[in-house]
Amino acid sequence: MGVTVLVQACVLPAQALLMEYSGDGGYTDCFVIETGARVSLARYVEAFYTSWLFRLERLVLTLAARPSSDLQAVQLAAGRGSAFAAWEVETRAVDQLLMRDVTGRTRSWFMVAPAAGGTRLYFGSAITATRQRTTGPTTIGPVFRALVGFHEIYSRALLGAARGRLQRHAALVNL
């Protein structure tokens, strides 16, 4: 019987590019899973955006006039593109990619780190807070707040789908 590998919620690593969004009434999350293969950031980002689950999101985004393709995902992952569907690159490092949505309210973050015999894959998100009234506190607002539970489940599923794609690719390479 195989071992079930679960996506885990975790604290943002200290060096995470997403860290700057972790305060001021905003929302951040971080999820991690390991894979038994050595994976570059480019390969991880490509696998994420071309996974079966994210392809479904891409169909929805196409209806919202934000189409994208697998080729664009490959170009973004390789550093030859700066935009993908509803996101654009905010910051890129050797082991991390921070994407900002077109409204500037949300961020998607990817990071790879070596792990024993493989790679640790991180995925996180941020929602920036806004001030509803000039004297009120900053908040992500009721709509985003209502969607956080679904978002966390979906983020775990996306990370699992990306890992699955990476594992299948590694198995094919090793045939």
Side-chain angles (χ1 to χ4, degrees):
M1 184 174 207
V3 176
T4 302
V5 180
L6 299 176
V7 174
Q8 300 292 319
C10 65
V11 175
L12 277 171
Q15 75 275 25
L17 296 174
L18 194 62
M19 188 63 80
E20 72 177 275
Y21 296 101
S22 65
D24 291 335
Y27 166 87
T28 55
D29 60 31
C30 183
F31 300 96
V32 64
I33 194 167
E34 290 188 12
T35 181
R38 298 279 183 211
V39 177
S40 68
L41 177 66
R43 183 72 189 106
Y44 167 39
V45 171
E46 176 185 337
F48 186 95
Y49 283 135
T50 61
S51 71
W52 70 271
L53 186 54
F54 200 85
R55 283 183 174 145
L56 294 176
E57 183 173 336
R58 285 172 37 196
L59 287 174
V60 173
L61 290 169
T62 296
L63 297 174
R66 297 288 176 187
S68 59
S69 67
D70 283 356
L71 178 58
Q72 289 170 319
V74 169
Q75 291 171 335
L76 171 75
R80 294 189 307 269
S82 62
F84 182 76
W87 298 272
E88 55 191 37
V89 173
E90 182 170 318
T91 308
R92 185 187 294 266
V94 172
D95 61 345
Q96 299 181 61
L97 176 64
L98 182 62
M99 303 288 288
R100 173 183 55 239
D101 81 293
V102 294
T103 69
R105 286 289 315 274
T106 67
R107 306 294 187 280
S108 296
W109 166 77
F110 306 87
M111 187 174 94
V112 294
T119 306
R120 191 169 291 122
L121 307 172
Y122 291 91
F123 176 64
S125 302
I127 304 168
T128 57
T130 59
R131 189 172 311 276
Q132 300 300 326
R133 297 181 193 97
T134 57
T135 60
T138 58
T139 178
I140 64 170
V143 173
F144 280 120
R145 181 69 58 206
L147 294 173
V148 164
F150 170 77
H151 166 78
E152 290 176 355
I153 293 167
Y154 184 57
S155 291
R156 288 174 187 263
L158 284 169
L159 186 51
R163 180 186 181 271
R165 188 160 173 81
L166 290 166
Q167 295 289 102
R168 284 187 298 283
H169 175 77
L172 289 173
V173 169
N174 293 325
L175 285 181

